[in-house]
Amino acid sequence: MTKTRLVLWDIDHTLVDYTGLGAAWYTAALAATTGAELKTYPDFGGRTERAISTDLLIAHGIEPTEELLQALWKALIAESERAVEHLPTSGRALPGAAAALTAFAEHDDVVQSLVTGNLPEISRHKLAAFGLDEHLDLDIGGYGTLSAHRPDLVPHAVAQAVAKHGAPFAADAVVVIGDTPSDVEAALAHGAIAVAVATGHYPAAELRAAGAHTVLPDLADTDAVRSAVLG
């Protein structure tokens, strides 16, 4: 069957919650890469790794060259690799996440992947800790290395999906699911459907004001999630 719908998931505070882990990894990675002590934390919410890393270096008086960004990301990946065995106890899968992913996997015409600010390797580690990677095509997602501008990640993921699955994926057949206004913005910028979940730091009213087509309290009601995505 031809794939006709593309579902693009955010990770943090949408599928999983690893509150505090990013700051800890950045503290270690910054020290390993530059020798600097982390004195101020960047804003993580809904932003890409390229944007976060750039701001972090500038805030510490360090020029964010591409070479240094790549080195910082390598150090972050190393931190995540060292933490792999502890990730199941360092965070949690959010209620309904596994059930929602499984529900869409049962539809032969649906492709599931990611649009996330995370690095590709860290995305895999965070999801695999709870078995949430099983139904996602992680080779075609839009990741935080691509751009500091989150909306840029959506067309990249769509193009990758088209190339791999040979389907055109009409704009209104692409669904972006996330917990921040930035996720909503990224979807709307490309005519995609924006489904927001109020499981992060942004209340439902703010997500609705950002223009989300549907706002859910969480992913716990699988039927509601399915309805929001498939209509």
Side-chain angles (χ1 to χ4, degrees), residues 19-40:
T19 298
L21 201 58
W25 287 354
Y26 259 111
T27 298
L30 184 67
T33 305
T34 69
E37 178 184 352
L38 193 146
K39 298 178 179 178
T40 180

Side-chain angles (χ1 to χ4, degrees), residues 127-187:
L127 293 168
F130 302 104
L132 300 179
D133 56 330
E134 179 183 358
H135 301 304
L136 293 165
D137 187 341
L138 301 182
D139 295 329
I140 63 171
Y143 295 96
T145 52
L146 294 169
S147 174
H149 188 49
R150 194 176 182 107
D152 292 344
L153 277 53
V154 174
H156 178 86
V158 173
Q160 294 281 310
V162 169
K164 182 171 182 177
H165 295 280
F169 295 113
D172 61 359
V174 176
V175 183
V176 178
I177 305 177
D179 67 290
T180 74
S182 294
D183 296 299
V184 175
E185 176 193 358

Side-chain angles (χ1 to χ4, degrees), residues 41-192:
Y41 294 102
D43 176 18
F44 289 96
R47 304 179 73 224
T48 73
E49 211 71 74
R50 183 170 287 276
I52 293 167
S53 298
T54 298
D55 286 357
L56 179 75
L57 292 172
I58 292 172
H60 289 81
I62 303 167
E63 182 182 357
T65 64
E66 185 63 26
E67 181 180 4
L68 189 51
L69 287 173
Q70 294 291 337
L72 184 61
W73 295 341
K74 184 177 180 179
L76 285 170
I77 293 166
E79 288 300 313
S80 75
E81 289 172 345
R82 280 191 283 271
V84 161
E85 64 179 294
H86 302 294
L87 288 180
T89 56
S90 299
R92 65 189 178 103
L94 290 175
L101 290 165
T102 300
F104 293 127
E106 294 170 354
H107 292 265
D108 291 338
D109 60 341
V110 173
V111 174
Q112 298 186 86
S113 189
L114 301 172
V115 162
T116 173
N118 282 280
L119 303 177
E121 297 86 350
I122 291 178
S123 297
R124 292 177 182 272
H125 294 158
K126 285 183 173 180
L127 293 168
F130 302 104
L132 300 179
D133 56 330
E134 179 183 358
H135 301 304
L136 293 165
D137 187 341
L138 301 182
D139 295 329
I140 63 171
Y143 295 96
T145 52
L146 294 169
S147 174
H149 188 49
R150 194 176 182 107
D152 292 344
L153 277 53
V154 174
H156 178 86
V158 173
Q160 294 281 310
V162 169
K164 182 171 182 177
H165 295 280
F169 295 113
D172 61 359
V174 176
V175 183
V176 178
I177 305 177
D179 67 290
T180 74
S182 294
D183 296 299
V184 175
E185 176 193 358
L188 299 182
H190 300 285

